[in-house]
Amino acid sequence: MIIIEKISQTLLHMSVAFTVTFVFTGSVSVGGLAALVEPVCNVLLLPLHDRAWKRIRMRLAKSNTNTALAS
């Protein structure tokens, strides 16, 4: 069932990318290109995004620990 949900999410992202690009450009080919490029960018950038948030959480936890120790 998870695979069906992920496929559905991917198709939703592709449809939104196509529709928004088509509305702005009026070009089916540019819309199609955006629909293909957008999911690839998400796949490549998501690990970097997750890593950045992990570092932020670690810094906040460390800051909260230091604050608690200073009190």
Side-chain angles (χ1 to χ4, degrees):
M1 193 65 162
I2 291 175
I3 190 75
I4 294 170
E5 180 182 354
K6 295 302 177 186
I7 290 170
S8 172
Q9 288 174 347
T10 301
L11 292 174
L12 176 64
H13 278 278
M14 292 175 79
S15 319
V16 169
F18 174 83
T19 303
V20 169
T21 306
F22 177 73
V23 166
F24 280 106
T25 66
S27 171
V28 172
S29 59
V30 174
L33 180 63
L36 295 175
V37 170
E38 189 268 345
V40 172
C41 291
N42 281 336
V43 167
L44 296 175
L45 294 176
L46 186 60
L48 299 175
H49 180 266
D50 290 343
R51 194 176 322 157
W53 273 103
K54 183 178 179 181
R55 288 181 183 160
I56 291 168
R57 282 189 207 97
M58 289 173 57
R59 286 181 185 156
L60 288 173
K62 184 177 179 181
S63 174
N64 289 339
T65 303
N66 289 341
T67 303
L69 292 175
S71 298

